[in-house]
Amino acid sequence: MKIAMLGSGFIARFYATSLHAQRRKDFIYTIYSRNIDNAQRFAADYQLAHFTDNMEEAINHPEVEVVLISLPNHLHEIAVAACAKAKKHVLCTKPLGRTGAEAKRMLQLVEEAGIFGGYLEDLCYTPKFLKSVASIQEGSIGKVLWTKSREAHPGPHSDWFWDKEKSGGGAIIDLACHCVEISRNFIGKNVKPIEVMCWAATQVHPIEAEDHAIGLVKYANGAIGQFEVSWTFRGGMDLRDEVVGTEGSIWLNSFLRTGFEVFSTGKGGNYVAEKAEVNNGWLFPVGDEAHELGYPNMFTDMFDAIESKRQPLETFYDGYIVNAILDAAFISAKTKQWEPIAIDDWRGDETLVETGAALVSFDEEYYLIKEEVLPNGDIKLILKNKQSGEVVQKNK
């Protein structure tokens, strides 16, 4: 498919490298940038025949089949509206909107126009993540009780991120959008997010938005999704996820420790990895950065979905739910209270309710709380009497 790329910056180049690697059949046909010199440079770097500083010209080009939005947050809705008007399929980088209301309008534009809307949440397409989700869906760790997703680095690369009006916020809108959607996939997208408790602060940078935040998202089945996001972390980009279930656990370290270590005196000054702060000493490069961050899998899913007329793994609706959760997080950061998540159009399961502890019967008299092997080889059983509720211990 022939693509119109909107935007010529950092993320656009990641997308272009992923799309044009290994002779892929979906390719960028034209590039739009607000700065014509940047558009021309991008076109030269990726050997594109067309470039422009007119967004509608790029979208409405008769050869273009799909539009890929890699613009600053405040321009997403404008671009989606233009795609809907032109009846062109659209893929949009994260976050979908600056607010739930903005994301909802974009969702409606796409659905009313009858076009494809793909939400480009790359961290939900990394090889480790996809295998983890498959394992959870197969029941390998039982019922998911708690997830934790962390993204932290020294701060973003462009000026608009630091402008609260243009971005919609700070570390929460930039990074927690990843973390929240990661947790939704682990817990189950059909499970309704209910409320949020969030702490946020501006600890380091002279900006209006938060540069550090920690939040808890409670779901209808009792599961908790925790996010930790920061623009204050020094030492590179830290991407980690954890999932705890009744029958097991999963730990993912996706970026900072890659299994690839290099020591350098700094001679040569080559690029190391995204958000790496130094190029000397012990370094932790990434062999194929786009692949490790999920971009090839993401685009394969998106274009396969368009061709087969199915929904992708990440849709505009998912982007809207993420924004609705983040709206509650911003409110909670101010009120210091649990805040309800306002979802106008919930399409998941309404019957799921919070459940109590799973009761494992040991025998007719007792429930089993825990079995543990002691250092001396004894096996201790912690039991609860079914009638009296008394907790006792016995040797097996």
Side-chain angles (χ1 to χ4, degrees), residues 78-93:
I78 295 170
V80 169
C83 293
K85 183 179 180 181
K87 303 291 186 180
K88 296 290 180 78
H89 299 312
V90 58
L91 312 178
C92 185
T93 192

Side-chain angles (χ1 to χ4, degrees), residues 138-388:
E138 291 165 0
S140 297
I141 66 168
K143 177 189 173 184
V144 174
L145 304 172
W146 167 56
T147 71
K148 182 168 74 171
S149 184
R150 169 182 170 85
E151 181 166 358
H153 57 60
H157 49 271
S158 295
D159 55 358
W160 64 264
F161 282 97
W162 304 90
D163 183 326
K164 187 176 180 181
E165 176 60 29
K166 291 180 179 178
S167 64
I172 290 176
I173 199 75
D174 180 34
L175 307 180
C177 58
H178 288 304
C179 300
V180 163
E181 188 62 358
I182 285 169
S183 288
R184 286 188 67 232
N185 276 272
F186 286 147
I187 293 168
K189 289 185 184 180
N190 63 311
V191 184
K192 191 173 185 178
I194 301 298
E195 55 185 351
V196 180
M197 169 65 81
C198 181
W199 166 87
T202 308
Q203 294 186 310
V204 174
H205 303 98
I207 57 174
E208 298 301 318
E210 76 290 342
D211 59 15
H212 195 173
I214 300 170
L216 300 173
V217 183
K218 185 177 180 180
Y219 288 79
N221 66 348
I224 288 288
Q226 179 178 336
F227 63 81
E228 303 173 0
V229 295
S230 184
W231 287 349
T232 69
F233 177 77
R234 306 309 299 266
M237 184 162 69
D238 187 12
L239 299 178
R240 284 181 280 166
D241 304 308
E242 298 179 31
V243 193
V244 175
T246 55
E247 302 297 329
S249 304
I250 297 173
W251 293 355
L252 301 177
N253 193 329
S254 297
F255 209 80
L256 192 61
R257 292 293 182 269
T258 62
F260 181 4
E261 301 181 13
V262 173
F263 179 86
S264 174
T265 61
K267 187 175 181 179
N270 292 329
Y271 175 82
V272 178
E274 183 182 349
K275 302 298 187 294
E277 294 194 271
V278 296
N279 64 357
N280 59 3
W282 280 107
L283 308 172
F284 306 95
V286 181
D288 184 339
E289 200 162 343
H291 183 66
E292 289 299 319
L293 291 173
Y295 295 115
N297 288 333
M298 177 177 70
F299 285 121
T300 296
D301 176 50
M302 292 294 165
F303 288 104
D304 282 351
I306 293 173
E307 287 182 345
S308 60
K309 295 180 171 55
R310 63 167 174 83
Q311 290 291 303
L313 296 179
E314 294 293 323
T315 67
F316 267 37
Y317 182 75
D318 292 314
Y320 161 61
I321 297 299
V322 169
N323 272 122
I325 293 171
L326 299 186
D327 282 354
F330 282 120
I331 296 171
S332 177
K334 293 179 180 179
T335 66
K336 315 300 183 187
Q337 304 287 332
W338 283 96
E339 293 291 343
I341 299 167
I343 299 175
D344 297 331
D345 179 17
W346 175 244
R347 302 177 184 180
D349 198 329
E350 288 284 4
T351 64
L352 288 173
V353 295
E354 185 172 350
T355 57
L359 300 177
V360 179
S361 184
F362 177 71
D363 57 23
E364 291 184 0
E365 188 176 1
Y366 292 103
Y367 294 117
L368 175 65
I369 295 177
K370 187 181 181 186
E371 178 178 319
E372 183 168 351
V373 179
L374 301 179
N376 65 0
D378 291 349
I379 300 176
K380 181 185 289 187
L381 301 173
I382 309 297
L383 305 170
K384 180 179 179 179
N385 188 285
K386 293 180 179 179
Q387 297 298 321
S388 68

Side-chain angles (χ1 to χ4, degrees), residues 89-109:
H89 299 312
V90 58
L91 312 178
C92 185
T93 192
K94 65 81 195 174
L96 185 58
R98 291 172 293 179
T99 66
E102 193 170 77
K104 180 72 179 297
R105 291 195 297 269
M106 284 186 266
L107 172 64
Q108 290 173 328
L109 282 166

